[in-house]
Amino acid sequence: MKLLLVVSILTLIIIVWLPAFPGWPIISGFLAVFAFMFTVCHRRIGQVIVGLCLSIVVGFWHMERDVEALSLNQYADEPVVIEGQIVSVVDRQKRFNQPYAGFDLAVSKADSANLADDNQWPSLLEGRRIRVAWHNVTSVPQLGQRYRLVLRLKPLVSLHNRGGVDYVRSRLAEDVVLKGSVVSTTPPVLQPAVFNTFWLRSWVRQRLLVVTAGMSSQPLLIALSVGDRSLISPFLRQRLIDLGVAHLLVVSGLHIGLAATIGFYLVMLPARLFIRPLLWRYCELTACMSAASLALFYTLISGFGIASIRALIMVLVVLFCRLSWRRTLVWQSWLLALWFVLLLEPLQLFSAGLWLSFSAVFALIYLSIGRYGKGWLALQLGLFVMMVVPSAVFFSQLPLLAPLANVVAVPVISFVVVPLLLLATVTAMVSLSLAIPIFGVCELLMSTAQQFIVAMPLSATVIKLPALSPAVSLFFLLGAMVLLIPRGLPGRWLGGVLMLPLFLEVLYPPPPAFFTMTVLDVGQGLAVVIQTPAQVVVYDTGFGDGQAFSIGGRVVGDWLQQNGIDHIDYLIVSHGDSDHAGGVGELIRRFSIGKIISPQQDWRWQSMASRWQACSLAPNWSAAGTRFSLLQAKAVTGDNNHSCVLLIATGNTRLLLTGDIEREAELYLLNSGVLLSADVMVVPHHGSKTSSSPAFINAVSPVLAIISAGQHNRFSHPNPAVRRRYLNRGVRLLSTASSGQIDLTKLAPDQKITVQTRRCCYRHYWQ
């Protein structure tokens, strides 16, 4: 059994790592070979072959669907008439001071908006999902509602940065195949509702919002009840992560397993009281059905998302093993659940949620079979040690208070709050007035916990972890397992030895490079991080509105956090355009900043007025052998032309960051008498035809030119004529649109600069 599961899981892992779909003729050939082997092999080997073939068929079926979905990108910018149902919680916010709504729409019917177009391609969208962006929304769309919309389609695009989320992969795992923006010239039509699980969840959510209105802990109560975390503020969410209890606010295996346990004992406890012991075994079927029903109900009202489905599969596997009347090892149940989850969606292999949930279950199983102390605190300490590596990989930090916090929080949330919320939710479906007292008890508990979490000084209890090498991570995991073997067995000291490299890497990190410049992939925008042993300089922050919506700010902030950086010495904003200054607010909120330099003061960094300097007045400076010089063409007109230009001299290498300057500013700089020659240049204005004049390129004479632009951007950057202009001069040209994150590293002053790109080598089939 275990061999069958391991081989089947490995098969699915290999499939999702393939670079392209091989086609069904080749797949059929492999299946025919395995079918022949099945006829001549031993029965147990035959079982393994059956599992292998099932994994092959299901895995490649998923891959074919994904490839078909990606082929729809060719219809980007096409207007289509879509009828469908909103199947996700609506993300309502203000973007650029206009109301915005974002949601997933399950397509039931699709037609071309062009009446003269007889192409049948829109029918390929039926049964799939589209991520809808509704700008300047006039109505208030709700989960479960059905709409008829005219959408202008856009392809799914990922930002390729080290440690970043692959947006295309994560959306394909949710069956979302395209993005679409609502065409404002055609009014949307609200259609009659259809009763289904999405309508039910919306109805339950609306009733709970009414009951919990005015409660200070409403965001936490709604998150635990229906899995909607959109109401939780970014500040509170980060506090929960810093305390190590964020997993309790996600409807996961812990909560759905608890719901199943409640359903099971709702039948078994009365059975044990009123039915003779000889008949107890016949009650188990009813009890398991009750457990599965309550777990399914909780999964439905929590959104039937990937995380909750994954938890439901785990619960159903455990119930199946219990009813099978066969002695099933707990490791077999764990492997079986993992296999079913990957059969459901193989791309979940790259999901942080899958790794965190299955790692936690693995650790709990390992710690609960007699290998460690029986105390609750001892169990939490052991779980904390075994989850160090997942925490470092996915959160880049280690919350030291996590064991103590979970000792208190897990019993209270799991055995008091969640059962009460389940009871309150069911009650609210019948009567709102009867549910109010139950929610009142939950409010008392959760508001007290929330006040405690907000008031705690957590900054000193969180260790920032750098990116760990695979070898160090593997040694630490092996060391943790050896250290936690049962007392009395020899060799536990070896676990400490194996764990030592991680502590050494954290306490004594390798010396930083002499100079590093990272051009991040922020889509259509610019964000550059420059590091020397003495300073961190950020040049531009990517796209955003300077408030809650900030793609670039999140990319830059997450990258800095993953690299253990919590302070920015200089934040240089070339100019105020939203694709360069949009992430400033996010960085101010998350990091301490020494100085902000920009052409002029702006409301987005008004809170840092005491640390702001104008670009034209800011002095040049040096840090650890690297010279930073600021240039600006103040005599010419236009915001783009006023961009703050940064010239860097590090050892024998010069680099030029040009912002969005255009020909007029280029001419001004050429006549200023400043030596502009540079080995590396960030191409002005994303490669626009208004910039990169031949004279300017000749004066700079770069060896490498970097274009920061988004895939499929609406400006068609870089301009083909500009590209040819660089290539004809023998300049190596790289673009974040095709290469992703670009790293330039210089280990010593006299060494040449080395270049690495994120998408340099292997690519998956969806990339």
Side-chain angles (χ1 to χ4, degrees), residues 287-569:
C288 289
M289 292 177 62
S290 172
S293 300
L294 194 55
L296 179 60
F297 170 75
Y298 200 4
T299 305
L300 288 176
I301 65 171
S302 66
F304 224 76
I306 289 179
S308 54
I309 292 176
R310 186 167 56 235
L312 179 64
I313 289 175
M314 291 183 183
V315 168
L316 294 179
V317 167
V318 171
L319 293 175
F320 171 78
C321 292
R322 184 179 181 91
L323 286 176
S324 64
W325 298 103
R326 295 178 58 185
R327 186 174 180 272
T328 305
L329 297 177
V330 66
W331 295 116
Q332 290 179 345
S333 300
W334 185 83
L335 288 170
L336 188 61
L338 179 58
W339 184 37
F340 284 161
V341 166
L342 292 179
L343 283 175
L344 180 68
E345 179 49 71
L347 288 180
Q348 286 193 64
L349 176 69
F350 301 96
S351 165
L354 180 137
W355 284 95
L356 290 171
S357 60
F358 275 91
S359 296
V361 173
F362 175 90
L364 289 172
I365 293 172
Y366 187 82
L367 295 168
S368 62
I369 55 176
R371 296 175 181 267
Y372 199 64
K374 298 181 180 179
W376 176 242
L377 178 59
L379 182 65
Q380 288 297 326
L381 287 172
L383 182 62
F384 173 76
V385 172
M386 296 192 70
M387 293 299 290
V388 165
V389 171
S391 296
V393 171
F394 298 112
F395 300 113
S396 302
Q397 65 181 36
L398 185 64
L400 297 178
L401 290 180
L404 294 176
N406 281 279
V407 163
V408 178
V410 170
V412 173
I413 298 295
S414 300
F415 301 117
V416 179
V417 175
V418 170
L420 285 175
L421 283 177
L422 280 173
L423 177 61
T425 301
V426 175
T427 305
M429 296 173 67
V430 179
S431 170
L432 295 180
S433 58
L434 292 177
I436 291 176
I438 308 175
F439 274 110
V441 176
C442 297
E443 155 72 5
L444 178 63
L445 294 171
M446 296 303 291
S447 61
T448 303
Q450 181 172 311
Q451 293 173 6
F452 178 74
I453 291 171
V454 170
M456 282 189 66
L458 296 177
S459 58
T461 65
V462 177
I463 298 178
K464 301 295 183 181
L465 296 176
L468 302 176
S469 64
V472 169
S473 301
L474 180 60
F475 279 134
F476 186 89
L477 289 173
L478 293 175
M481 295 180 68
V482 172
L483 185 66
L484 298 173
I485 61 176
R487 292 187 180 93
L489 292 179
R492 295 181 64 183
W493 60 270
L494 184 59
V497 175
L498 292 172
M499 296 166 69
L500 191 60
L502 184 141
F503 294 107
L504 294 176
E505 187 166 314
V506 173
L507 296 175
Y508 304 100
F514 175 73
F515 175 85
T516 301
M517 187 176 89
T518 302
V519 183
L520 294 169
D521 182 7
V522 291
Q524 185 61 23
L526 177 64
V528 183
V529 180
I530 302 113
Q531 298 177 78
T532 70
Q535 287 186 347
V536 174
V537 179
V538 174
Y539 182 90
D540 281 345
T541 61
F543 183 74
D545 64 359
Q547 301 179 73
F549 173 61
S550 176
I551 296 174
R554 284 199 299 270
V555 169
V556 178
D558 292 347
W559 189 90
L560 291 173
Q561 183 175 327
Q562 288 163 4
N563 285 271
I565 298 171
D566 56 10
H567 176 74
I568 300 170
D569 295 281

Side-chain angles (χ1 to χ4, degrees), residues 171-351:
R171 299 309 281 168
L172 285 176
E174 298 171 352
D175 205 26
V176 175
V177 297
L178 286 169
K179 296 188 295 183
S181 57
V182 176
V183 178
S184 58
T185 56
T186 305
V189 179
L190 180 63
Q191 296 184 314
V194 174
F195 179 80
N196 55 21
T197 57
F198 302 109
W199 181 92
L200 174 64
R201 187 192 181 205
S202 176
W203 179 74
V204 171
R205 179 177 176 272
Q206 291 300 320
R207 291 179 73 85
L208 296 189
L209 287 173
V210 172
V211 175
T212 59
M215 295 184 180
S216 61
S217 63
Q218 183 191 51
L220 302 181
L221 297 177
I222 296 299
L224 282 171
S225 300
V226 293
D228 176 13
R229 292 176 290 164
S230 62
L231 301 178
I232 301 177
S233 66
F235 171 75
L236 181 57
R237 188 171 303 182
Q238 187 60 47
R239 299 287 288 186
L240 293 169
I241 293 174
D242 291 344
L243 194 57
V245 295
H247 63 98
L248 295 176
L249 274 301
V250 180
V251 178
S252 58
L254 180 64
H255 306 97
I256 292 179
L258 180 63
T261 303
I262 293 172
F264 183 84
Y265 283 106
L266 281 176
V267 173
M268 286 305 297
L269 286 179
R272 289 177 178 269
L273 290 174
F274 303 110
I275 298 178
R276 289 179 297 175
L278 290 176
L279 301 177
W280 285 353
R281 59 177 298 182
Y282 299 106
C283 297
E284 283 210 9
L285 176 61
T286 305
C288 289
M289 292 177 62
S290 172
S293 300
L294 194 55
L296 179 60
F297 170 75
Y298 200 4
T299 305
L300 288 176
I301 65 171
S302 66
F304 224 76
I306 289 179
S308 54
I309 292 176
R310 186 167 56 235
L312 179 64
I313 289 175
M314 291 183 183
V315 168
L316 294 179
V317 167
V318 171
L319 293 175
F320 171 78
C321 292
R322 184 179 181 91
L323 286 176
S324 64
W325 298 103
R326 295 178 58 185
R327 186 174 180 272
T328 305
L329 297 177
V330 66
W331 295 116
Q332 290 179 345
S333 300
W334 185 83
L335 288 170
L336 188 61
L338 179 58
W339 184 37
F340 284 161
V341 166
L342 292 179
L343 283 175
L344 180 68
E345 179 49 71
L347 288 180
Q348 286 193 64
L349 176 69
F350 301 96
S351 165

Side-chain angles (χ1 to χ4, degrees), residues 655-729:
L655 305 96
L656 186 66
L657 283 67
T658 56
D660 271 358
I661 61 171
E662 299 177 348
R663 290 193 187 95
E664 297 82 3
E666 293 175 355
L667 180 61
Y668 177 91
L669 294 176
L670 288 173
N671 296 330
S672 66
V674 177
L675 181 63
L676 296 175
S677 64
D679 303 278
V680 179
M681 177 173 69
V682 176
V683 172
H685 203 179
H686 319 287
S688 167
K689 63 182 180 181
T690 61
S691 305
S692 297
S693 61
F696 186 72
I697 298 175
N698 292 337
V700 178
S701 187
V703 177
L704 170 65
I706 298 173
I707 300 172
S708 181
Q711 286 182 283
H712 312 291
N713 68 82
R714 60 192 177 96
F715 305 103
S716 299
H717 290 160
N719 183 270
V722 172
R723 284 181 56 88
R724 288 193 298 271
R725 206 173 292 160
Y726 282 96
L727 294 174
N728 290 341
R729 288 165 172 79

